[in-house]
Amino acid sequence: MRPPKPVSVAFWLYVLAGLVLIAAFGYTLTQQETVAQALIDLNTTENLDEEQIRSGVSTLLWTLFVGAVVFAVLFALFGWKAREGARSARTILTVLAAITLLLQVLLFPTSVPMLAASFLAVVATALLYLPSVTGYFPRQGPPAGGQR
């Protein structure tokens, strides 16, 4: 059975959201020296030297990049599963979209790429809950015979 059009569009929006995340944090990774220098210039703590700041920036940016890749893979994987009609995939995508939105609001409120990725994920999630596609994600009832 072919997935409804909103479910197919949602899948591609999730893929796009993941690609935006990877591109944004990949670009930030290339700006490692600029970020480190800005933090060194802002540093007022005597017990933090330049090397510690540079090391911390490097670790943080690589962690954010790996996190973006993980989110992109999860968006694609569960987006594909949702295309196949898996109700649990829809639930997981809802949680991932909520986490992306929270990260955007709490940690990156001025980041345009994070805002774009969050927007794409939220729109994709909304498409999965449209009344026209509810029948595509059937409820799982108890097994036949009423036994568990």
Side-chain angles (χ1 to χ4, degrees), residues 2-142:
R2 290 183 59 112
K5 183 95 169 159
V7 175
S8 294
V9 170
F11 167 72
W12 290 109
L13 289 176
Y14 282 121
V15 169
L16 186 58
L19 292 175
V20 168
L21 285 175
I22 290 173
F25 288 110
Y27 175 75
T28 304
L29 193 58
T30 67
Q31 302 301 307
Q32 188 170 336
E33 183 58 36
T34 306
V35 173
Q37 192 58 51
L39 290 175
I40 289 168
D41 293 344
L42 292 172
N43 181 30
T44 58
T45 306
E46 295 295 323
N47 52 350
L48 267 182
D49 64 16
E50 286 188 23
E51 188 52 42
Q52 289 173 315
I53 292 172
R54 288 184 198 287
S55 174
V57 165
S58 177
T59 301
L60 174 66
L61 294 181
W62 275 105
T63 302
L64 290 172
F65 179 72
V66 169
V69 170
V70 168
F71 263 73
V73 168
L74 291 174
F75 276 148
L77 173 67
F78 289 107
W80 184 262
K81 290 292 191 183
R83 275 187 77 196
E84 295 176 345
R87 188 180 182 94
S88 60
R90 182 177 71 165
T91 304
I92 292 169
L93 286 166
T94 303
V95 171
L96 290 173
I99 291 170
T100 304
L101 185 61
L102 282 174
L103 288 174
Q104 190 274 320
V105 169
L106 298 175
L107 299 179
F108 306 103
T110 60
S111 171
V112 173
M114 261 312 276
L115 178 65
S118 297
F119 178 75
L120 291 168
V122 167
V123 169
T125 302
L127 290 174
L128 296 180
Y129 287 92
L130 289 175
S132 63
V133 300
T134 54
Y136 190 68
F137 299 105
R139 277 191 176 270
Q140 297 294 330

